[in-house]
Amino acid sequence: MESLNRSDEPLYDVAIIGLGPAGLTLSHILGRRGLKVIVIEKEPVFYGNARAVYTDDECLRIFQAAGVADDVHKDMMFDIPVQFTYEDGTPIGQYIPTGTPNGWPIVNFLYQPYLETKLSEKLGKYDHVKILRGREFRSLTQDEEGVTVYHIASEGTGYGQKQENPKPKEEEDERSIRASFVVGCDGGRSKVREFLNVKLKGKNFPEPWLVVDLRQKNLELGLRHLPYFNFYCDPNGPVVSCPQPDGHHRFEFRLKTGTSKEYMERPDTIRKLLSKHVNPDHFEIKRRLVYTFNGLVADRWKEGRVLLAGDAAHMTPQFMGQGMSSGIRDAFNLGWKLIEVIHGRAGERLLETYQTERYFHAKEMIQISTILKDVVSLENKFLAAMRDGFLRAVRLIPSVYKIFQEGKFKPKPKYKQGKYFGIPRNSSNRHAGTLMPQPDLQIMDGTNRKMDQIAGDSYALIGQGIDPRKGLSEKSLSFLNSLGTKYITIYEKGKRPQGIRGVVRDFDPGLNEVEDIYSLLKPWFKEAGYKKNGVVLLRPDKFVFGMAKSNSNKLVEELERQLDRRPVHRAAQVRSFVQV
Ligand SMILES: Cc1cc2nc3c(=O)[nH]c(=O)nc-3n(C[C@H](O)[C@H](O)[C@H](O)COP(=O)(O)OP(=O)(O)OC[C@H]3O[C@@H](n4cnc5c(N)ncnc54)[C@H](O)[C@@H]3O)c2cc1C
């Protein structure tokens, strides 16, 4: 732990307030690329609160970019069906996604303290990422060059387990640090957001839910009848049952409005509720908590050099398991942009696209989660019977059931037209602003790599069976080189160059030649209207900047224009933000 005061003030690239999942992911993304980062976390000791239980393939792909995916995925259960069931557990409909479009399983159940502990431990490898625990954000000032953050000593709240105890002024021990940018990842009650006077818009849902986290006393006993994730659609009170790794299990009970918190948290009440589903004697109760939830989004995510991410920027009802996942997406979207701006490869205006890209996606996740909550929680017996009948009918129509089974109702990683960094979507640019799939690709030695391992951390120019540098002017090529762009040729399965006539025999070290052995990219190119010779310019976060036929000079010119490296007039920038 490092202690800093105003007379000993190094300039950090980024100061992160809060070390929950969003702050941890951002620290990894920035730390991995060598940025000097300081994290201010109010809890003196890591304890970890079990809240999130689920994450998806897009987030694991982000963890892959952060260099921690294999480590965190070891602690997850994956490819587990998610079902709607009757109150006795008989399935009505199952969500069993197939395929791995992002190179990772779509359904992953986790135990949040394990995830956070792993992420926290792995941060230790970065000497340039400093963590100040037991320090709480107090206030900040910002100017044209950076931000000064004032922080005070904190005893923490045991991650919400105990009341906050405001300190008398003389015990506050106020200190400061200075950074070029500050990111508030300090959760739903964000003090950074409050300080910036940013308002939340949306809804609070008053219905109380009781969360009970259990752990099996003996891994063999008590859960054989509950192998999958269940939404019990019980009009008398819906219940969520969630398998978790290492003998953990979560139940969530929707309470009747008006039931007191004290009554619900009583051991005999909990025992009675649990007894309907498991033998309580086989379990240790790790935590019980009554909570309500929110569907809220901050109206501004950036104020000058200060940005908000994770629950500080949006709060999502937990039904789709997307609250933490949205924060992980924020961290990557913002992280690569901060890296490019701080290294001088992009103008500061790039940061304005953080909110415009992430805002609508986060909001869509809130909307779909709220719909799911409403579907699961129907109390009216007639409406509940209609829902069950509808789900049964859907099972009889395979093409429609597939939409449900494969989760096609989930908002896609696709930015809103006109609001993203990239070429506007049109007939020759159908995939612009969307996340490119990540198949396994085969390199020349016959082994496979995930696509992002080949595409690297920066931009990538990918040719469909052609050298993507073909036809590029020297100016375009040198601009792409200055960004650290990787060049890749993806051959269709069985279509590598071969034969003794006219085929160059030696590798060009500047080009990565790979084969789409599972033919997963062919339909993706075809969908965009490219049978061959397509070129894709990928952003560092693997979203498509733009596409072209053979010659990509125009793409590069547009990239250079949008990166806008001209110095900005900072005074104007400090208070500017994008309205959405
Ligand atoms: C019952 C429940 C179930 C959920 N299930 C899921 C799920 O399955 N999947 C999913 O994706 N999401 C789920 N969520 C949501 C998920 O837990 C949150 O979205 C996620 O934890 C938010 O991460 P964060 O890093 O933004 O904020 P937090 O996890 O809240 O972390 C904020 C950090 O900032 C610190 N901090 C706060 N104030 C200050 C300050 N002033 N100074 C310094 N540090 C400060 C805190 O101590 C904390 O460490 C669930 C939530 C609940 C309640």
Side-chain angles (χ1 to χ4, degrees):
M1 219 185 271
E2 184 177 296
S3 159
L4 298 168
N5 57 43
R6 299 193 71 181
S7 57
D8 173 20
E9 220 184 51
L11 175 68
Y12 289 92
D13 291 319
V14 180
I16 297 173
I17 316 296
L19 199 58
L24 282 161
T25 310
L26 184 59
S27 304
H28 273 281
I29 296 285
L30 302 179
R32 190 158 170 271
R33 302 294 301 283
L35 258 57
K36 229 172 143 201
V37 175
I38 185 155
V39 184
I40 294 171
E41 165 57 53
K42 76 173 179 189
E43 296 295 338
V45 181
F46 175 72
Y47 162 74
N49 224 341
R51 287 174 295 159
V53 290
Y54 168 86
T55 196
D56 62 18
D57 53 332
E58 292 166 38
C59 290
L60 280 159
R61 191 171 175 183
I62 291 173
F63 286 140
Q64 182 189 332
V68 291
D70 289 326
D71 291 309
V72 298
H73 202 239
K74 270 186 212 144
D75 296 333
M76 296 185 190
M77 295 166 84
F78 49 94
D79 285 338
I80 308 268
V82 172
Q83 358 180 86
F84 287 86
T85 73
Y86 293 109
E87 59 176 290
D88 67 354
T90 312
I92 313 173
Q94 274 189 330
Y95 164 53
I96 313 184
T98 51
T100 49
N102 284 296
W104 294 91
I106 292 175
V107 175
N108 305 277
F109 288 109
L110 56 96
Y111 186 58
Q112 190 169 346
Y114 287 179
L115 173 72
E116 291 188 31
T117 305
K118 201 51 102 40
L119 290 174
S120 198
E121 280 170 9
K122 295 280 160 193
L123 266 186
K125 66 182 163 188
Y126 301 119
D127 288 342
H128 47 282
V129 176
K130 299 277 176 222
I131 298 171
L132 294 182
R133 279 200 168 271
R135 304 293 306 174
E136 185 177 341
F137 167 83
R138 166 48 87 77
S139 63
L140 59 83
T141 55
Q142 55 177 319
D143 53 47
E144 293 180 15
E145 303 300 329
V147 190
T148 304
V149 175
Y150 299 91
H151 53 99
I152 56 171
S154 161
E155 285 161 13
T157 61
Y159 290 87
Q161 304 290 307
K162 56 182 168 82
Q163 290 285 323
E164 227 153 335
N165 253 338
K167 279 186 182 304
K169 202 89 187 135
E170 61 278 11
E171 282 180 30
E172 280 183 345
D173 181 25
E174 186 175 275
R175 300 184 198 176
S176 69
I177 51 103
R178 185 140 170 98
S180 298
F181 293 95
V182 170
V183 187
C185 297
D186 50 341
R189 295 188 185 146
S190 169
K191 284 278 187 323
V192 178
R193 187 184 66 223
E194 192 183 304
F195 183 82
L196 297 176
N197 200 19
V198 169
K199 299 283 174 269
L200 290 170
K201 286 186 183 157
K203 271 190 178 168
N204 304 98
F205 299 95
E207 310 103 67
W209 284 74
L210 170 72
V211 175
V212 185
D213 281 327
L214 304 174
R215 185 152 194 209
Q216 281 172 292
K217 290 179 182 164
N218 174 337
L219 291 183
E220 308 290 317
L221 294 181
L223 285 175
R224 185 169 170 272
H225 63 302
L226 289 175
Y228 306 141
F229 180 103
N230 289 350
F231 285 118
Y232 289 91
C233 300
D234 180 354
N236 295 314
V239 177
V240 175
S241 160
C242 175
Q244 285 179 278
D246 202 18
H248 295 94
H249 199 91
R250 153 91 46 95
F251 281 103
E252 296 178 15
F253 301 94
R254 157 90 150 74
L255 309 180
K256 292 253 178 267
T257 315
T259 322
S260 80
K261 179 172 171 341
E262 291 67 32
Y263 172 76
M264 287 316 302
E265 287 182 355
R266 266 172 36 189
D268 56 328
T269 314
I270 288 171
R271 194 176 168 85
K272 199 168 140 205
L273 287 168
L274 286 176
S275 299
K276 286 191 193 161
H277 302 276
V278 291
N279 177 349
D281 294 335
H282 288 151
F283 298 89
E284 171 199 349
I285 295 181
K286 301 281 290 180
R287 196 170 77 117
R288 53 181 184 273
L289 176 75
V290 173
Y291 73 98
T292 56
F293 49 86
N294 307 295
L296 299 167
V297 192
D299 58 359
R300 284 179 284 132
W301 297 23
K302 177 174 182 292
E303 176 89 22
R305 298 177 155 270
V306 185
L307 300 108
L308 299 174
D311 275 19
H314 43 71
M315 278 176 269
T316 313
Q318 82 282 16
F319 289 86
M320 286 274 291
Q322 288 294 332
M324 175 186 77
S325 303
S326 280
I328 292 168
R329 290 185 183 94
D330 295 346
F332 194 28
N333 185 297
L334 179 57
W336 78 263
K337 290 173 183 171
L338 284 169
I339 292 163
E340 294 305 295
V341 169
I342 287 165
H343 283 312
R345 292 188 291 258
E348 282 180 27
R349 287 181 186 86
L350 180 62
L351 297 176
E352 304 290 327
T353 64
Y354 163 58
Q355 176 176 354
T356 57
E357 291 186 351
R358 288 290 311 129
Y359 179 92
F360 296 100
H361 192 263
K363 208 169 162 183
E364 278 174 2
M365 282 300 181
I366 290 173
Q367 284 160 348
I368 188 81
S369 303
T370 308
I371 292 172
L372 188 57
K373 167 197 82 75
D374 291 341
V375 170
V376 173
S377 316
L378 284 177
E379 281 181 349
N380 180 306
K381 291 214 160 67
F382 174 69
L383 292 178
M386 283 199 17
R387 170 201 57 207
D388 300 349
F390 173 77
L391 286 171
R392 276 196 307 270
V394 159
R395 287 183 84 154
L396 302 175
I397 314 165
S399 55
V400 181
Y401 191 45
K402 209 168 169 216
I403 295 176
F404 175 76
Q405 272 205 306
E406 301 213 344
K408 294 205 189 313
F409 48 85
K410 181 181 158 195
K412 298 211 165 10
K414 176 177 181 178
Y415 294 132
K416 202 173 162 79
Q417 180 72 301
K419 301 282 184 188
Y420 61 87
F421 172 70
I423 308 256
R425 263 189 296 280
N426 56 34
S427 53
S428 54
N429 255 297
R430 285 201 51 189
H431 292 316
T434 70
L435 185 60
M436 186 169 177
Q438 174 175 234
D440 272 4
L441 299 169
Q442 195 170 72
I443 59 173
M444 196 64 191
D445 70 4
T447 58
N448 293 350
R449 301 278 184 281
K450 288 192 194 300
M451 192 190 75
D452 298 356
Q453 286 175 283
I454 295 158
D457 293 328
S458 191
Y459 295 84
L461 193 68
I462 301 174
Q464 183 189 19
I466 53 167
D467 183 340
R469 299 167 300 184
K470 202 175 131 198
L472 275 185
S473 67
E474 281 206 8
K475 180 171 173 283
S476 296
L477 197 57
S478 113
F479 181 71
L480 287 177
N481 288 341
S482 74
L483 298 173
T485 306
K486 284 266 179 79
Y487 304 100
I488 303 169
T489 299
I490 299 183
Y491 298 108
E492 273 181 39
K493 187 176 170 60
K495 297 272 174 68
R496 276 188 186 272
Q498 54 180 326
I500 54 170
R501 288 204 195 109
V503 174
V504 178
R505 296 176 187 204
D506 296 325
F507 283 114
D508 171 350
L511 184 66
N512 297 274
E513 293 180 280
V514 293
E515 194 171 338
D516 182 17
I517 47 162
Y518 301 116
S519 299
L520 292 172
L521 288 178
K522 191 177 169 183
W524 183 81
F525 274 109
K526 204 170 156 203
E527 201 188 330
Y530 294 96
K531 284 198 180 137
K532 55 181 184 176
N533 300 346
V535 177
V536 187
L537 179 56
L538 269 196
R539 313 180 340 171
D541 58 355
K542 314 304 175 235
F543 276 76
V544 174
F545 179 86
M547 303 181 81
K549 184 91 179 166
S550 311
N551 185 323
S552 48
N553 279 308
K554 285 227 159 58
L555 279 184
V556 182
E557 279 162 26
E558 185 56 20
L559 176 68
E560 189 166 2
R561 191 187 72 75
Q562 291 194 24
L563 281 176
D564 193 14
R565 291 182 186 176
R566 285 169 306 149
V568 280
H569 179 52
R570 292 259 169 77
Q573 182 78 353
V574 163
R575 285 201 60 82
S576 81
F577 51 83
V578 182
Q579 289 287 9
V580 286

